[in-house]
Amino acid sequence: MSKYTFVVLFLLSFLTVHVNAQEKEIKKTEITNSKDTIPTIKKPITKKPSQTSYVLGKEYVLGGITVTGLKKYSEETVKIFTGLRNGQTIKLPGDKLTSAIKKLYKSKQFSNVDVYLDKLDGNTAYLRFDVKELPQLNQVTITGIKKSKSKELTKETELKKGTMVTDNLIVTSKNYFKKKYTDKGFLKTKVSINTVKDTSDVNVVNMSVHIDKGTRIKIKDILFIGNKAFSNKKLRKSMENTKQKFFGRFWKSSKYIDDKYKEDLENILDQYSRKGFRDARILSDRLVYNDDNTISLEIEIEEGKQYYFSDILFVGNKNYSDEFLQSILKIGKGDIYNGAVLKERVTGDNTPDSRDIQTLYHNSGYLFAGVNAVETKVVDDSITVEIRIREDEQARIKKVTVIGNEKTNDHVIYRELRVKPGDLFSRSAIIRSIREIGQLGFFDTNVTPDVKPDYQNKTADIDFTVVEKGGSQIELQGGYGGGAFIGTLGLSFNNFAIKNLFKKEAYKPLPTGDGQKLSLRLQASRTYSTYSFSFTEPWLGGKKPQSFSFSVYNSNQYQYDYTTGIIDKDQSLKIIGATIGLGRRLQWPDDYFQLSQTISYQSFNLNNYGFRVGTDILSNGSLNNLAYNISLSRNSTGPSLIFPTYGSEFTIGAKFTFPYSLVNNKDYSEPSNLNATEKNDYLADKYKWMEYYKISFKGKWYTAFTNKLVLMMNAEGGFLGHYNNKVGATPFERFFVGGDGLAAYQLDGRETIGLRGYENNRLSSTIGGTIYNKFQLELRYSITDKPAASIYTLGFLEAGNSYDNFSSFNPFELKRSAGVGVRIFMPAFGLLGIDFAHGFDSLPLYNNTPNAPKSGWQTHFIIGRQF
């Protein structure tokens, strides 16, 4: 016999297992089980040789399955979990058996699964699954902390009734509880977890958790060793989240959080790197417990030497000159080496308006361009850098898709996008598209673009994923004022589809999806009633961004005697008004500009109604206000309407009437010795057709410090002029400054300007001002920007004033205030808010009065508008 024949026979005998069927001996085929690895067969255990054998890896017919070790589950349930069925073919071992074991583990009901070969009948195999069920959690008790806190912790973890208790669950829960308190400064927190069988049910345990948090430990000192280039104070300042104890610091605690501490160690190295110390490293850091229940942090630094930029070379650029690329890089020979700034100028700083070389190429269609900064030579303290550019070919957009718009029609979104199929790829166009989608106001601000590049064909597909939020608002109010109950019903539909108004199937619950705005408002009481309707189509004709707006309103006011409570409907004021407007998005100077034009008309009919006109009272007559309004605006804010983080918004507007008094040859001088009737007739004729011109400016700028912290700056002003000195300034259309800025029920076309910290309209004279100015700084912090509700807090400084004429105008005589507030935006109700403001100056009523009382603290409720 050759040695090769001997080896083959030996291997065959090793792979063959004998079974003594007559003695019905149970042979154990055990499978090593692991949740992360594929089960493998162990060497079968046999007690005696057998005349019948099975072969590893051979296919057998599954004759049956039995399950042992069960406590709560039925055998049939486990069989279903395995996915195996009688009569199917399986290998011993094989993929099907492996899958069955994995399925049992994935059910998270068993801590151990073993599989045995019970019997082999010819080509039929009978298996037995021996399982160990995990115990179920019944009750959790947490001691050592307040009861309210223990309930909170139980909710935060996975310790819910019915949860399967595993070793991993106990370990992760213990670590979670400990970290919860160590992150709050309780560094010596100890947590113990025990489980006890619950005799009320089968295989159920109760868990007891004891938390000994100890005392809070603060950082007493942060000490540095080896630092020469930076002082200890400078290095401590670079640690954003790890601060030592300092009396008076309330905005940042001195607790130790391990994760934040490690981040701050990286911040220290970044501080060195930005000053040229590219080799700086932390040799060691040590936490020392002090006797006074505090800790000290000792950080040893090796600074290395300071480096400078030597030559900066551009390689591979064909479409842009070295000089142009250098104007973007803005780093020259001899500058302190700053790796972070170099990276930001080459590949970007992850902001929408990043100005860097890679973004330059991406905005020009070079999607596949590669730009890298490489240090090619280091001589002493000087580093030569090559900016290596692989331009590649320009890429075009192949397909643009919007996903998630269930209510809004596709064309409403696509017409706002700045990326179109066939266009060259542009990163800035994608960012602009995100902004335009957000400006619609129908979607959550977190619009996610997914760019799918196709290098082979030099194309890219772009998918925009949106999350819709409510586009309609309802206003339902009731109150008591003017001696009567006042009811208000307002409906605003911001994504309306008027073309589906008569289609029954479109009411879900209303016809929506075309981006139109429609609003209805009704307000009524015993003394007056007001009805208004407005409609706006943002894309008239559907092909160009040219808007059309239309509104009408009607108001009836009746004389009310406050002494008797009697309403006389024979003494009335009726107002009818209408406005029609056109707006157009411009392309020059850029497409953020909008030109809007409107024509408005108001008719006032007085019937024995005492209506104040300036300092006089007009009882009978018909007054008319026909005006043309034109405004040029630019709005680049974004991405959210409610919480903008970048951009600016300004409007220059002019509103004027025809100069009737300059062409009708009437003498508007007031005759002397007029009686009441004659005075009424004179006023009615003087203001039969109102005349004025009105100029206004409003500008806002947004600067983001972080994605949640934003500074808003505002400056605005207005002037109301007249054509004829004998007619003078109209008593209508005046400016009323002070308070919350909300336009309450009004009849004279006044413009209300908010200035918090003062009562409503109290910074203007009783007849209103013809000039006003206002300046504002507002720091906003976003708490949440979820589709269901957006919430942000704010702190503000404001200054402004109102002036009766140019002779009293002084731009530096301002009424100042400061305060804090909060805003909540809910799609169904609009913007709601409350402000607490302190006015530092006195009201105009007390001007030039010694020791005049200051306005002091005022509370303002904000509904439906934004400062």
Side-chain angles (χ1 to χ4, degrees):
M1 180 184 296
S2 69
K3 63 179 180 179
Y4 299 103
T5 305
F6 176 83
V7 171
V8 170
L9 291 175
F10 176 81
L11 291 175
L12 287 175
S13 63
F14 179 81
L15 294 174
T16 304
V17 179
H18 298 282
V19 181
N20 190 338
Q22 293 178 350
E23 294 180 299
K24 297 182 179 180
E25 180 184 358
I26 298 175
K27 302 347 169 256
K28 182 178 181 182
T29 307
E30 186 178 357
I31 299 184
T32 60
N33 301 309
S34 172
K35 300 173 188 177
D36 302 316
T37 60
I38 298 175
T40 57
I41 213 78
K42 282 187 175 182
K43 183 178 179 181
I45 299 174
T46 59
K47 293 182 178 179
K48 296 180 181 180
S50 171
Q51 297 175 352
T52 307
S53 63
Y54 81 90
V55 179
L56 297 175
K58 179 183 175 182
E59 286 192 346
Y60 292 89
V61 177
L62 181 60
I65 297 174
T66 57
V67 184
T68 57
L70 295 174
K71 294 182 179 180
K72 295 192 70 171
Y73 288 96
S74 66
E75 186 176 64
E76 193 61 33
T77 300
V78 178
K79 290 179 181 179
I80 293 173
F81 275 146
T82 65
L84 299 175
R85 65 184 186 280
N86 292 345
Q88 74 176 115
T89 58
I90 61 172
K91 290 182 180 180
L92 299 179
D95 292 342
K96 293 178 182 177
L97 191 57
T98 299
S99 176
I101 296 171
K102 284 188 174 182
K103 287 178 181 178
L104 289 176
Y105 276 123
K106 283 184 179 179
S107 70
K108 296 183 180 181
Q109 307 296 325
F110 308 100
S111 61
N112 190 67
V113 178
D114 289 324
V115 182
Y116 299 92
L117 176 62
D118 263 357
K119 184 174 67 173
L120 192 63
D121 187 3
N123 202 39
T124 303
Y126 296 85
L127 302 179
R128 173 164 59 89
F129 282 76
D130 185 44
V131 298
K132 184 177 180 181
E133 293 184 17
L134 288 168
Q136 288 186 348
L137 183 62
N138 180 41
Q139 185 178 358
V140 179
T141 304
I142 302 179
T143 58
I145 57 175
K146 293 182 180 179
K147 189 175 181 180
S148 59
K149 192 63 181 177
S150 67
K151 290 182 179 180
E152 182 181 331
L153 287 176
T154 304
K155 289 181 180 179
E156 291 175 1
T157 61
E158 296 181 359
L159 302 180
K160 299 176 179 61
K161 187 174 182 178
T163 300
M164 311 309 291
V165 180
T166 64
D167 292 339
N168 182 61
L169 177 68
I170 294 174
V171 171
T172 55
S173 298
K174 184 176 181 178
N175 292 338
Y176 177 83
F177 291 138
K178 185 174 182 178
K179 189 176 187 304
K180 188 79 174 178
Y181 283 94
T182 55
D183 285 354
K184 292 180 179 180
F186 298 95
L187 301 185
K188 295 185 178 181
T189 299
K190 297 178 181 179
V191 179
S192 60
I193 298 180
N194 296 306
T195 57
V196 180
K197 288 185 178 181
D198 189 328
T199 57
S200 63
D201 201 352
V202 178
N203 203 28
V204 172
V205 296
N206 294 324
M207 180 180 291
S208 61
V209 181
H210 181 72
I211 300 175
D212 180 9
K213 62 182 183 180
T215 56
R216 194 187 301 271
I217 298 175
K218 294 190 175 184
I219 302 171
K220 182 179 181 180
D221 298 301
I222 301 178
L223 307 173
F224 296 94
I225 303 169
N227 55 308
K228 297 177 181 178
F230 295 100
S231 65
N232 289 353
K233 183 178 180 181
K234 190 86 172 178
L235 293 177
R236 290 191 195 103
K237 189 176 181 180
S238 68
M239 302 177 74
E240 297 178 358
N241 300 293
T242 309
K243 302 293 183 181
Q244 68 181 25
K245 287 175 64 175
F246 176 75
F247 179 77
R249 182 194 287 119
F250 59 88
W251 59 91
K252 183 73 73 172
S253 65
S254 56
K255 60 188 177 184
Y256 174 87
I257 302 175
D258 191 59
D259 294 343
K260 299 297 183 183
Y261 173 60
K262 286 181 172 59
E263 289 178 11
D264 283 334
L265 292 179
E266 293 298 323
N267 290 337
I268 293 172
L269 295 179
D270 183 66
Q271 175 91 336
Y272 273 99
S273 176
R274 287 181 177 272
K275 291 299 181 180
F277 295 92
R278 62 194 288 271
D279 298 331
R281 60 185 182 133
I282 294 174
L283 297 178
S284 64
D285 64 282
R286 198 160 64 100
L287 186 152
V288 180
Y289 285 93
N290 302 316
D291 295 335
D292 57 354
N293 203 37
T294 62
I295 62 171
S296 295
L297 300 176
E298 296 179 356
I299 303 170
E300 185 177 359
I301 299 171
E302 183 181 77
E303 292 182 335
K305 62 183 177 181
Q306 191 174 29
Y307 289 86
Y308 299 86
F309 282 104
S310 182
D311 294 323
I312 300 177
L313 308 173
F314 295 95
V315 180
N317 52 306
K318 299 176 182 178
N319 290 281
Y320 298 102
S321 66
D322 290 2
E323 292 75 18
F324 182 75
L325 294 178
Q326 180 61 43
S327 69
I328 296 175
L329 188 65
K330 295 180 181 178
I331 298 175
K333 186 175 182 178
D335 290 350
I336 292 176
Y337 186 86
N338 189 328
V341 170
L342 177 64
K343 182 179 179 182
E344 291 170 2
R345 305 276 173 83
V346 172
T347 58
D349 57 6
N350 297 320
T351 61
D353 55 351
S354 176
R355 182 170 168 79
D356 59 89
I357 296 174
Q358 183 163 281
T359 297
L360 171 69
Y361 277 94
H362 285 177
N363 286 341
S364 303
Y366 295 95
L367 170 62
F368 303 106
V371 184
N372 296 290
V374 181
E375 298 176 2
T376 58
K377 186 167 59 175
V378 179
V379 179
D380 295 329
D381 61 353
S382 298
I383 301 175
T384 300
V385 176
E386 280 189 4
I387 311 298
R388 296 177 179 175
I389 301 171
R390 181 179 56 83
E391 292 185 343
D392 212 304
E393 298 178 28
Q394 288 179 308
R396 293 194 176 272
I397 297 172
K398 182 179 179 182
K399 185 172 65 174
V400 179
T401 308
V402 178
I403 304 168
N405 54 314
E406 298 177 356
K407 295 181 180 179
T408 306
N409 294 324
D410 288 344
H411 72 272
V412 174
I413 306 173
Y414 284 120
R415 69 192 184 191
E416 299 293 344
L417 298 180
R418 296 298 190 270
V419 288
K420 310 287 184 184
D423 290 352
L424 286 174
F425 179 87
S426 172
R427 178 179 180 270
S428 62
I430 295 175
I431 293 172
R432 179 66 186 276
S433 297
I434 295 172
R435 184 254 178 196
E436 295 303 323
I437 293 174
Q439 291 293 301
L440 289 172
F442 311 145
F443 307 101
D444 180 25
T445 56
N446 297 320
V447 179
T448 307
D450 182 14
V451 178
K452 301 176 180 177
D454 181 352
Y455 181 78
Q456 183 176 359
N457 296 307
K458 296 297 185 289
T459 61
D461 295 340
I462 305 175
D463 295 341
F464 292 92
T465 301
V466 299
V467 177
E468 283 196 294
K469 61 182 181 182
S472 301
Q473 297 172 11
I474 184 170
E475 177 188 5
L476 186 61
Q477 297 179 355
Y480 188 84
F485 176 81
I486 303 171
T488 302
L489 174 62
L491 299 173
S492 179
F493 310 113
N494 295 324
N495 192 7
F496 200 68
I498 199 168
K499 69 179 181 182
N500 296 327
L501 194 62
F502 301 105
K503 294 181 180 180
K504 184 178 179 181
E505 63 275 10
Y507 283 77
K508 298 177 182 179
L510 293 166
T512 59
D514 278 351
Q516 300 159 346
K517 296 181 180 180
L518 184 146
S519 63
L520 299 165
R521 196 170 189 273
L522 298 87
Q523 190 174 53
S525 72
R526 292 175 57 215
T527 59
Y528 73 88
S529 61
T530 302
Y531 312 93
S532 65
F533 166 83
S534 66
F535 173 78
T536 301
E537 166 57 73
W539 282 64
L540 185 62
K543 295 183 179 180
K544 293 183 178 181
Q546 181 168 293
S547 64
F548 169 79
S549 60
F550 174 73
S551 65
V552 293
Y553 58 92
N554 176 274
S555 178
N556 296 302
Q557 177 86 18
Y558 305 106
Q559 198 73 56
Y560 176 74
D561 190 332
Y562 286 90
T563 59
T564 63
I566 297 175
I567 298 173
D568 187 353
K569 292 193 175 184
D570 291 330
Q571 299 179 356
S572 64
L573 167 64
K574 295 184 179 180
I575 305 175
I576 297 175
T579 302
I580 188 169
L582 290 174
R584 194 175 79 179
R585 184 188 299 162
L586 304 179
Q587 298 299 317
W588 186 88
D590 60 42
D591 60 359
Y592 287 113
F593 279 86
Q594 176 94 10
L595 180 66
S596 301
Q597 302 175 78
T598 62
I599 296 175
S600 61
Y601 174 74
Q602 285 178 300
S603 173
F604 301 81
N605 292 296
L606 295 96
N607 181 25
N608 296 320
Y609 187 91
F611 183 62
R612 178 175 291 278
V613 180
T615 57
D616 299 312
I617 300 295
L618 180 64
S619 298
N620 292 280
S622 178
L623 312 180
N624 300 275
N625 184 1
L626 177 63
Y628 170 73
N629 193 340
I630 183 170
S631 66
L632 178 67
S633 62
R634 185 182 189 274
N635 184 355
S636 62
T637 62
S640 168
L641 279 172
I642 306 303
F643 191 80
T645 56
Y646 63 82
S648 61
E649 176 184 0
F650 75 83
T651 301
I652 300 174
K655 182 178 182 181
F656 51 90
T657 65
F658 187 75
Y660 304 102
S661 65
L662 300 182
V663 297
N664 59 15
N665 296 321
K666 283 187 179 181
D667 183 6
Y668 286 91
S669 300
E670 182 178 350
S672 58
N673 302 321
L674 295 178
N675 59 35
T677 302
E678 291 171 337
K679 183 65 175 287
N680 183 89
D681 293 341
Y682 165 75
L683 292 173
D685 183 63
K686 181 179 180 180
Y687 298 118
K688 182 176 182 179
W689 288 96
M690 299 176 208
E691 60 176 44
Y692 58 87
Y693 63 90
K694 193 175 184 180
I695 300 171
S696 62
F697 167 81
K698 296 180 180 179
K700 292 183 179 180
W701 295 263
Y702 296 89
T703 303
F705 299 112
T706 68
N707 61 342
K708 288 181 174 290
L709 187 64
V710 178
L711 176 66
M712 187 275 287
M713 297 176 286
N714 176 49
E716 59 182 275
F719 170 69
L720 178 66
H722 56 274
Y723 303 113
N724 190 326
N725 289 332
K726 291 183 178 180
V727 176
T730 177
F732 292 79
E733 300 286 338
R734 294 200 169 213
F735 303 111
F736 286 80
V737 179
D740 52 32
L742 298 180
Y745 179 70
Q746 54 185 284
L747 306 172
D748 54 6
R750 69 180 59 184
E751 185 174 343
T752 57
I753 295 94
L755 205 160
R756 292 162 286 186
Y758 299 89
E759 297 179 27
N760 286 356
N761 305 333
R762 292 296 301 278
L763 295 181
S764 300
S765 61
T766 55
I767 61 173
T770 62
I771 305 172
Y772 90 94
N773 57 2
K774 176 186 172 182
F775 307 94
Q776 179 184 7
L777 288 175
E778 189 169 280
L779 191 64
R780 302 174 175 180
Y781 180 79
S782 174
I783 297 174
T784 178
D785 59 352
K786 301 296 183 184
S790 297
I791 305 173
Y792 66 89
T793 58
L794 52 92
F796 57 86
L797 299 172
E798 290 185 341
N801 210 345
S802 171
Y803 313 90
D804 290 340
N805 47 56
F806 260 121
S807 62
S808 63
F809 175 65
N810 183 349
F812 303 105
E813 185 182 329
L814 303 173
K815 305 296 182 180
R816 303 157 301 165
S817 67
V820 295
V822 64
R823 297 289 182 274
I824 302 173
F825 178 82
M826 292 182 289
F829 299 100
L831 191 70
L832 308 173
I834 184 171
D835 292 323
F836 303 97
H838 183 82
F840 297 109
D841 301 298
S842 60
L843 298 176
L845 175 67
Y846 301 104
N847 281 352
N848 303 318
T849 302
N851 301 318
K854 311 302 181 186
S855 177
W857 285 101
Q858 303 286 337
T859 302
H860 306 283
F861 294 94
I862 312 301
I863 303 174
R865 87 183 289 269
Q866 186 173 358
F867 281 102

